[in-house]
Amino acid sequence: MKSYRKELYFTTRTRRAFLNITPQVEECLRESGIKEGLLLCNAMHITASVFINDDESGLHSDFEVFLEKLAPEKPYSQYAHNGYEDNADAHLKRTIMGREVVVAITNGRLDFGPWEQIFYGEFDGKRSKRVLVKIIGE
Ligand code: ZN
C-alpha cells in the first residue's frame, strides 16, 4: 500500500470565503501516483471547513446567508467564547460545514458524482491556514 501526505496553504483576503480547491487536490492525486484507494482532505484549523458541493455562486451566497442566520458574526458579545477572541461564529460555522471529506479514487481519478467539487470554507481568514491531503491505496 502506498501512502501520500501533503499540506496545502490558503490565505483569504476576507474573513469568510469559499475556495474551490479541487485542482490542487487533483494535483496531489497525480503526484501520489495512487490509482485505487481513498483520499482524505481536512481543514487543520477549527475555524475552517472542507466540504463538497456545487461550484455555483448563487449557492455560495445562500450558504453565507444560511450560516449568518444560524451563527451571526455580530454582535461579538453574544458569544461566551469571545473573551479574548472574536471568532466564536467561525467555530460554529465550521462545525456546520464540516471538517473533512473522503473521496474514492478509481482509475487514478477522484470518483465524483455529478457537480461534486471540493471546497475550502474559511470563516476566520486573512491569515495562512492549512489543509491536509492524505491518500492511501495502490
Ligand atoms: Zn476561537
Side-chain angles (χ1 to χ4, degrees):
M1 188 195 77
K2 280 198 252 182
S3 173
Y4 171 96
R5 181 187 191 277
K6 189 164 196 176
E7 292 177 9
L8 305 175
Y9 288 77
F10 300 100
T11 307
T12 61
R13 279 179 306 207
T14 51
R15 180 178 169 106
R16 286 189 290 280
F18 296 127
L19 309 178
N20 186 339
I21 62 169
T22 310
Q24 290 95 320
V25 175
E26 284 174 335
E27 181 55 35
C28 290
L29 180 54
R30 268 192 296 277
E31 222 173 77
S32 77
I34 292 170
K35 303 293 180 203
E36 295 292 326
L38 291 173
L39 180 149
L40 165 75
C41 182
N42 68 269
M44 298 181 81
H45 299 261
I46 53 180
T47 53
S49 290
V50 172
F51 63 96
I52 290 181
N53 220 300
D54 193 1
D55 194 358
E56 197 277 306
S57 60
L59 180 65
H60 297 177
S61 162
D62 292 338
F63 276 134
E64 166 67 15
V65 172
F66 165 74
L67 291 167
E68 273 297 291
K69 274 184 198 158
L70 292 173
E73 178 188 340
K74 294 171 184 169
Y76 296 124
S77 60
Q78 73 190 302
Y79 298 107
H81 178 67
N82 285 346
Y84 301 98
E85 297 187 278
D86 68 2
N87 67 0
D89 71 300
H91 290 280
L92 299 174
K93 286 167 174 141
R94 176 272 166 97
T95 302
I96 294 162
M97 297 304 283
R99 170 181 180 265
E100 78 276 309
V101 300
V102 176
V103 182
I105 301 156
T106 305
N107 295 324
R109 304 196 60 184
L110 299 174
D111 203 340
F112 280 148
W115 308 110
E116 284 192 315
Q117 294 284 289
I118 303 173
F119 290 89
Y120 175 69
E122 178 61 80
F123 305 111
D124 185 21
K126 303 181 189 175
R127 57 198 168 102
S128 177
K129 288 163 90 168
R130 290 178 295 159
V131 166
L132 176 67
V133 178
K134 180 88 182 191
I135 312 172
I136 55 171
E138 53 190 13

